[in-house]
Amino acid sequence: LTPGDLWSSIAPVLLVQGMYDAIAASSAQLVYACNLVTTPGQTNGFTVADFVATLESFLPRPIQTVLYHSRGIDLERTARYAEHDQAQPVLTGELDQLQDKTILGSDFLAPGELIRHDHAQLALMLGVLLGILPRPAEVVVLRSVGVGA
C-alpha cells in the first residue's frame, strides 16, 4: 500500500468492488509505506500507528510490514508545508502499538524542495522484504518478523 491522501486516494481504491475479496484471497505480504506528512482536515495529528489502524479498518487482514520515515524533515520544508498546505510531518508516536508487524524505519525523504518519498529507497526496502537484497545498516528495525539480514 502506497502513501497518499488517506481519505481521497487510498481508501477509495480499497473500497472498489472486488478489492476486499482479492486482498483476502491473496497470500502476498501487505506492506504499507507510511505518509511523510498529514493531510489537513483528514489526518491532522496522525501518527504512524493511526495511519495503520485506519487502513486496517478497510482491509480483510492485517498489514504485516510498516515502512516509516525515521530521520525527520528539515525545518525549511516543514515550515513551507505548514504555511502553504497546513501539512505537518507524520509523528512516529507509539510504534509499540503496532503488534505482530515488521516495522522498518529509514530515510525515505527524497532530496529537493518537495516532501516526497525517495522511490529508490522504497524500492530497496521492497527488495530487502523480498529477500533479494541485503538490509542496509542504517535501516532501523524496531520489530522484525522474517526481515532479510
Side-chain angles (χ1 to χ4, degrees), residues 118-130:
D118 184 327
H119 297 116
Q121 186 67 9
L122 286 173
L124 172 66
M125 292 309 301
L126 292 176
V128 168
L129 291 171
L130 290 170

Side-chain angles (χ1 to χ4, degrees), residues 95-114:
L95 292 172
D96 58 350
Q97 293 175 4
L98 301 172
Q99 299 296 317
D100 301 320
K101 297 180 189 331
T102 296
I103 305 168
L104 301 174
S106 188
D107 185 359
F108 288 109
L109 183 63
E113 294 184 14
L114 300 176

